[in-house]
Amino acid sequence: MSTELAQPAADNGIPFYRETGYECTLFEKAFEQCLPLLLKGPTGCGKTRFVAHMAARLGRPLFTVSCHDDLTAADLTGRHLLIDGETRWADGPLTRAVREGGICYLDEVVEARKDVTVVMHPLTDDRRVLPLERTGELLQAPPEFMLVVSYNPGYQHILKSLKPSTRQRFIALTFDFPPPEIEIEIVSTESGLSKDLCAGLINLAQRIRALKGQDLEEGVSTRLLVYCATLVQAGMPMARAARHTLIDPLSDEPDVIAALEELVGHAFG
């Protein structure tokens, strides 16, 4: 399990996020009304950055959990540990978020084991409680607590999906890659590369994304575009940077790699 704790940031320490619609307003309203939020969208489109931005903007601590096959409910709630010869209870990230009035973000929640959804249920209805069976506590979530989960619908299959009974406990927000003019701004701001050069990258990304569902499982992410632009800004030739960020991470198939190299060649020579 990977967990991160981000303390409330000052105004000048809020992670950069470029709003593309009304998603910031929706998040704020959900927070104010104590509603859980479900984010859907492809890998690298900005979901995690959005949550970090909003947590800092609202001045709440953020507990991020990257979900995986072995993640259990105990990993979220806590467990007894042997410390200095004594058995002590250690809160998990979800429990800490409830106690401290923070935002708990479960990234790729469908990857977690099914018992994780059971733990979420009493926190996602009007009860807003977290039962800790091992300590006998019943924690009442304060108004400042918020549960946010995300997943990539493109990776879902019959064995890994959220049940309707779970999905309907959340309000939902669908993410996608930003419009080209906004993505240019994002990549330029994140990397320091000029907007003119970033425009060429975004044009290439549009062509690569058109291959999704044909030769590629997933299109190139905004995150990878930022990586590419960062390498170029650091002095690496565009074609070489594209090879290591927009080609090799997307496929191991020689035919697909050759097709991507041809696209890069047409774009940058």
Side-chain angles (χ1 to χ4, degrees):
M1 178 181 65
S2 171
T3 64
E4 303 170 11
L5 170 60
Q7 295 298 330
D11 289 343
N12 60 359
I14 294 177
F16 170 75
Y17 177 78
R18 173 62 161 83
E19 189 172 13
T20 61
Y22 57 87
E23 64 268 28
C24 292
T25 299
L26 179 63
F27 193 106
E28 289 176 344
K29 295 301 181 184
F31 177 77
E32 291 170 3
Q33 300 302 318
C34 300
L35 300 174
L37 179 62
L38 167 65
L39 307 179
K40 304 185 295 179
T43 298
C45 69
K47 300 187 297 295
T48 299
R49 175 63 66 86
F50 170 62
V51 177
H53 171 84
M54 293 306 302
R57 185 160 149 177
L58 294 168
R60 304 315 308 159
L62 173 63
F63 300 81
T64 298
V65 180
S66 298
C67 299
H68 53 78
D69 289 340
D70 295 324
L71 185 76
T72 66
D75 292 322
L76 291 181
T77 57
R79 52 171 51 91
H80 286 99
L81 300 176
L82 186 63
I83 302 175
D84 297 331
E86 296 182 2
T87 301
R88 302 179 186 175
W89 173 260
D91 284 340
L94 178 60
T95 303
R96 291 185 63 192
V98 172
R99 290 193 197 276
E100 299 176 28
I103 296 173
C104 185
Y105 175 47
L106 306 183
D107 187 23
E108 295 297 340
V109 67
V110 295
E111 297 295 331
R113 287 173 31 169
K114 297 300 181 184
D115 60 340
V116 169
T117 60
V118 175
V119 171
M120 292 192 304
H121 280 188
L123 283 169
T124 54
D125 56 30
D126 57 357
R127 291 173 293 175
R128 283 176 57 85
V129 296
L130 177 61
L132 298 178
E133 295 182 3
R134 298 185 182 186
T135 65
E137 295 178 88
L138 183 64
L139 300 182
Q140 182 69 54
E144 297 82 8
F145 169 78
M146 183 177 184
L147 180 63
V148 183
V149 303
S150 73
Y151 72 93
N152 180 353
Y155 290 157
Q156 276 198 285
H157 54 78
I158 192 167
L159 296 179
K160 284 192 176 180
S161 61
L162 287 179
K163 294 181 178 180
S165 59
T166 299
R167 292 168 63 102
Q168 293 190 35
R169 292 173 176 271
F170 293 83
I171 63 171
L173 180 61
T174 299
F175 274 67
D176 204 345
F177 299 117
E181 64 277 8
I182 294 180
E183 194 163 33
I184 291 170
E185 178 187 343
I186 292 170
V187 174
S188 178
T189 300
E190 291 275 3
S191 66
L193 192 65
S194 71
K195 288 187 177 181
D196 288 343
L197 289 176
C198 289
L201 275 177
I202 273 62
N203 183 57
L204 174 61
Q206 297 294 319
R207 297 182 183 183
I208 294 176
R209 288 166 184 165
L211 300 175
K212 181 182 176 182
Q214 303 175 31
D215 298 321
L216 292 176
E217 291 185 3
E218 193 74 28
V220 62
S221 67
T222 303
R223 180 189 298 124
L224 285 177
L225 292 173
V226 171
Y227 289 170
C228 185
T230 300
L231 291 177
V232 174
Q233 178 67 11
M236 183 175 287
M238 181 71 81
R240 185 177 301 171
R243 169 73 196 222
H244 297 299
T245 56
L246 309 182
I247 296 178
D248 286 346
L250 295 184
S251 179
D252 297 320
E253 297 296 327
D255 292 346
V256 176
I257 290 174
L260 294 176
E261 287 177 335
E262 186 175 350
L263 287 177
V264 171
H266 287 317
F268 302 117

